Amino acid sequence: MQAAPVRATAIPSFTDALRAVETLLMSSGQRTARRNAWTSVLEDRRRAKDRVEAQLVLEQAAAGRP
């Protein structure tokens, strides 16, 4: 029995990964990617605002204020 041949494949460097991401973003889907990113930013801001409001309600309830 022979051992299976070892295949040497190079692990992509961080720079290669960044270039791949850049290529994806600069393709025809760039507009969609930017729109999705902005939608995510807005949703994160909304959730942060909701967390602050919920915290205020909980603090007021704990203090016995209406």
Side-chain angles (χ1 to χ4, degrees):
M1 272 181 79
Q2 284 184 320
V6 177
R7 294 173 53 193
T9 56
I11 297 173
S13 68
F14 184 72
T15 304
D16 292 338
L18 284 178
R19 284 189 183 133
V21 170
E22 181 183 37
T23 300
L24 288 173
L25 291 177
M26 296 304 172
S27 68
S28 63
Q30 181 179 12
R31 185 178 307 140
T32 301
R34 286 185 180 184
R35 190 179 321 122
N36 290 345
W38 184 244
T39 300
S40 294
V41 167
L42 295 177
E43 186 63 21
D44 288 344
R45 288 178 181 175
R46 187 196 60 78
R47 281 194 300 265
K49 181 182 171 201
D50 290 347
R51 279 193 301 273
V52 169
E53 290 175 359
Q55 183 66 34
L56 289 174
V57 168
L58 290 173
E59 288 173 359
Q60 287 176 352
R65 289 180 279 176

